[in-house]
């Protein structure tokens, strides 16, 4: 099963700190380098406390070609003492062109991952961290999906081949598109095929992130 996770409007809704308190980002010119984009992403993540964004998870059966899609929201909150909480709440399920209300929620907090299916009324709780261990979902390798935001460019380049992608008609307006391909031997290589990030030229916000998992990992 091949899975594609799409995050839309990431950082478009910030509750704290205010935009004025965020680390300044040098606007990206007409021909930015890979390093320019990674620096913008790093600075945009500094002092970030929380965000809300739309999220879509699509699974494609490699045999039938049929696609199943879950649609919802992702919420991130940085907590005191270098800890954080992330919640992904899917509200709709779509298959064969038909969408129905179907709620499933994942919460990563206090070292536990809680998977709650409201249709079957089943809840599964997994201990994913040792007692007292802190979590930074934005740090590469620690969160449920890799985000190159707030990360030092050299750390991103250790784990990924990063390249600029030519603009396309369907790109979010006034953005730069970069693609990350996990390097062989990294923790990301067995799971992810590509991670695509669209970065605003003006302020470094990321209106769209798309991750494609490899066959058999979704």
């Amino acid at each position: 099963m091949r899975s594609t996770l799409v995050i839309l409007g990431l950082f478009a809704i910030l509750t704290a700190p205010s935009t004025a308190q965020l680390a300044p980002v040098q606007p990206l010119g007409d021909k930015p380098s890979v390093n320019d984009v990674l620096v913008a992403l790093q600075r945009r993540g500094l002092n970030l406390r929380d965000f809300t964004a739309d999220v879509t998870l699509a699974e494609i059966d490699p045999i039938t070609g049929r696609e199943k899609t879950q649609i919802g929201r992702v919420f991130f909150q940085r907590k005191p003492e270098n800890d954080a909480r992330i919640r992904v709440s899917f509200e709709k399920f779509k298959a064969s062109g038909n969408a129905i209300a179907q709620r499933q929620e994942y919460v990563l907090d206090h070292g536990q991952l809680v998977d709650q299916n409201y249709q079957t009324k089943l809840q599964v709780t997994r201990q994913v961290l040792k007692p007292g261990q802190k979590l930074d979902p934005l740090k590469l390798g620690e969160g449920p999906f890799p985000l190159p935001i707030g990360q030092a460019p050299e750390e991103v380049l250790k784990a990924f081949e990063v390249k600029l992608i030519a603009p396309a008609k369907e790109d979010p307006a006034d953005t730069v598109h970069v693609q990350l391909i996990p390097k062989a031997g990294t923790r990301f290589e067995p799971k992810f095929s590509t991670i695509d990030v669209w970065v605003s030229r003006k302020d470094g916000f990321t209106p769209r992130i798309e991750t494609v998992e490899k066959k058999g990992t979704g």
Side-chain angles (χ1 to χ4, degrees):
M1 187 73 73
R2 181 184 174 110
S3 299
T4 301
L5 180 74
V6 179
I7 305 174
L8 297 170
L10 184 63
F11 307 144
I13 303 175
L14 288 166
T15 58
S18 68
T19 302
Q21 295 172 303
L22 291 172
V25 173
Q26 184 71 27
L28 296 169
D30 292 335
K31 296 182 179 180
S33 67
V34 164
N35 190 69
D36 291 337
V37 177
L38 293 180
V39 168
L41 287 170
Q42 178 190 24
R43 294 192 65 78
R44 181 46 64 226
L46 296 177
N47 303 325
L48 181 67
R49 290 292 174 264
D50 48 45
F51 68 76
T52 304
D54 296 325
V55 62
T56 299
L57 176 63
E59 295 183 339
I60 302 175
D61 190 304
I63 298 176
T64 65
R66 292 180 179 175
E67 180 176 312
K68 297 184 295 183
T69 303
Q70 290 176 284
I71 303 168
R73 302 278 283 171
V74 57
F75 308 87
F76 168 82
Q77 179 185 25
R78 194 175 295 281
K79 300 163 61 178
E81 300 181 358
N82 298 318
D83 202 2
R85 176 178 186 264
I86 192 164
R87 177 165 64 95
V88 180
S89 181
F90 292 110
E91 302 290 343
K92 293 182 180 180
F93 176 82
K94 186 176 181 181
S96 302
N98 299 314
I100 60 173
Q102 184 171 302
R103 186 178 177 189
Q104 185 161 6
E105 192 165 270
Y106 303 88
V107 178
L108 186 57
D109 193 18
H110 300 298
Q112 294 183 330
L113 176 63
V114 178
D115 176 354
Q116 189 166 9
N117 188 311
Y118 286 80
Q119 278 62 50
T120 61
K121 294 181 172 56
L122 291 177
Q123 176 175 307
V124 178
T125 302
R126 302 178 181 88
Q127 187 72 36
V128 295
L129 296 178
K130 297 178 182 178
Q133 185 178 355
K134 303 298 183 181
L135 172 73
D136 183 356
L138 294 185
K139 188 174 181 180
L140 290 174
E142 290 195 11
F145 34 80
L147 299 174
I149 299 163
Q151 310 297 314
E154 56 268 26
E155 292 301 316
V156 179
L157 292 171
K158 281 182 184 178
F160 299 93
E161 298 286 349
V162 185
K163 61 181 180 179
L164 294 166
I165 302 297
K169 183 171 61 176
E170 62 271 16
D171 287 353
D174 200 25
T175 59
V176 179
H177 180 186
V178 292
Q179 185 176 76
L180 288 70
I181 301 175
K183 291 183 176 180
T186 65
R187 69 179 73 185
F188 308 106
E189 190 268 337
K191 185 175 183 181
F192 296 98
S193 294
T194 57
I195 301 166
D196 288 82
V197 185
W198 286 261
V199 185
S200 169
R201 291 180 182 274
K202 180 181 178 181
D203 53 24
F205 283 124
T206 49
R208 180 182 175 98
I209 295 177
E210 180 174 322
T211 65
V212 178
E213 294 189 353
K214 289 186 174 178
K215 179 181 177 181
T217 63

